[in-house]
Amino acid sequence: ELPRALVQAEAKPEAQFIIAGFPHGCGSEFRILMEGYIQKVLPNIVKENNLRTLAASILFKIPLVREVALWTGCIDANRKTAEMALNKGRTLLVLPGGEAEQILTTYGKEKVYLKKRKGFIKLAMRNQISVVPMYVFGSSDLFYTSTFLFGPRHWLMKNMGICIPFCFGLLGSLCPLPKKITVAFGAPMKCT
């Protein structure tokens, strides 16, 4: 059941939020998999085509990946693009843990990488927009993970913004494992 405050705030014509989703997981496939669910949770925002997901800048430099990202409602996670989207009245879905949380995802463990991730709060404060917390229980269990070559992969992530998670799903493929996922939303929080 959704918090009453979220339902009431979303029903307003000027509804706008920054939805902070946790944890990132091995990929961001749960965001695509829950497309229909988002329509139930945020019907007015989705109906008005006002939801955008912030995605890593590197994705917009890779042909085909860029097109898929744009097709699924993603925009570059840089500050300028996020500010422009908010100025247009868009609601943003952000995975604050980013690549760091993605590469640290461990099958069977719920982890959040948030200590150094304050940009989404600063964005909310500058624009006086409420933050809606969202936690996706089970997203860490959609794929088996590996620490193989973790050192070089972590270096690439920290120094070049390129995250290469080693994970595999159903029958060793990129298809997620059949696991139960529970999505929990919190009430909108004003950031002042």
Side-chain angles (χ1 to χ4, degrees), residues 34-156:
M34 62 185 262
E35 228 13 77
Y37 183 69
I38 287 283
Q39 291 176 0
K40 289 180 184 176
V41 175
L42 305 168
N44 296 315
I45 289 170
V46 171
K47 180 177 68 177
E48 297 297 324
N49 195 27
N50 277 338
L51 180 64
R52 296 293 181 270
T53 301
L54 299 184
S57 298
I58 190 73
L59 298 179
F60 295 93
K61 295 180 170 112
I62 305 169
L64 294 176
V65 172
R66 173 186 51 242
E67 281 69 31
V68 170
L70 292 169
W71 179 65
T72 59
C74 294
I75 59 173
D76 193 315
N78 70 54
R79 179 179 166 183
K80 181 180 174 187
T81 305
E83 293 274 3
M84 285 186 341
L86 289 174
N87 290 336
K88 290 180 180 178
R90 306 274 194 232
T91 285
L92 299 179
L93 172 60
V94 59
L95 304 174
E99 295 104 338
E101 195 170 83
Q102 185 178 21
I103 202 166
L104 293 171
T105 296
T106 305
Y107 179 82
K109 293 185 180 177
E110 298 283 343
K111 288 189 215 176
V112 172
Y113 185 84
L114 188 60
K115 196 172 191 175
K116 297 179 182 179
R117 302 299 178 132
K118 300 175 186 102
F120 73 105
I121 296 295
K122 292 176 184 176
L123 189 63
M125 290 173 68
R126 274 193 307 273
N127 292 276
Q128 298 182 344
I129 294 173
S130 295
V131 173
V132 175
M134 177 184 80
Y135 197 91
V136 184
F137 293 93
S139 69
S140 298
D141 297 334
L142 293 175
F143 294 93
Y144 297 111
T145 56
S146 172
T147 57
F148 182 70
L149 294 175
F150 180 78
R153 291 187 296 124
H154 193 260
W155 183 90
L156 272 174

